[in-house]
Amino acid sequence: NAIPELRLLFAIPNGGARNPKVAEQLKAEGVKAGVPDYFLPVARRNFHGLFIELKALDGAESAAQKDFRELAQDQGYRCEVARRAQTATEVIYNYLQETT
């Protein structure tokens, strides 16, 4: 309740191994490779919102993830890669502290 904008934060369940039939259904519904794991549709400074991609310490962005990040940044979204949950939390908190 201290930060009401956090009610808008949501996960985007794009990753993970799936049954081929489920994967086909999700693709038909619009699920796309490369979309980050979290989105916060709150404007701050010159950004329309914040995307966060979670990665393991040794994980690398895929080509589709890099492409999405670059396209989203070109459209005015902030995009970050976080390698720890604590880092993601800090990115969100710092983003929300920025003034519009």
Side-chain angles (χ1 to χ4, degrees):
N1 291 334
I3 306 175
E5 295 94 339
L6 287 178
R7 294 188 338 222
L8 294 170
L9 179 68
F10 62 91
I12 302 168
N14 273 354
R18 303 199 193 282
N19 172 302
K21 186 174 182 177
V22 171
E24 183 179 320
Q25 180 181 357
L26 289 171
K27 187 174 181 180
E29 291 174 1
V31 171
K32 290 184 172 191
V35 177
D37 297 306
Y38 289 95
F39 182 56
L40 180 62
V42 174
R44 285 293 185 271
R45 279 200 189 166
N46 297 323
F47 300 108
H48 303 304
L50 170 66
F51 283 102
I52 298 178
E53 174 63 32
L54 297 179
K55 286 288 177 199
L57 291 176
D58 60 348
E61 284 183 287
S62 69
Q65 289 169 330
K66 288 178 184 177
D67 186 53
F68 184 93
R69 179 174 44 81
E70 291 171 3
L71 290 169
Q73 288 172 326
D74 288 347
Q75 292 301 313
Y77 291 91
R78 183 167 165 190
C79 300
E80 298 288 338
V81 176
R83 301 197 178 278
R84 298 185 193 290
Q86 179 63 31
T87 303
T89 300
E90 291 169 2
V91 166
I92 293 167
Y93 179 78
N94 290 336
Y95 178 80
L96 288 173
Q97 297 309 306
E98 296 175 3
T99 58
T100 53

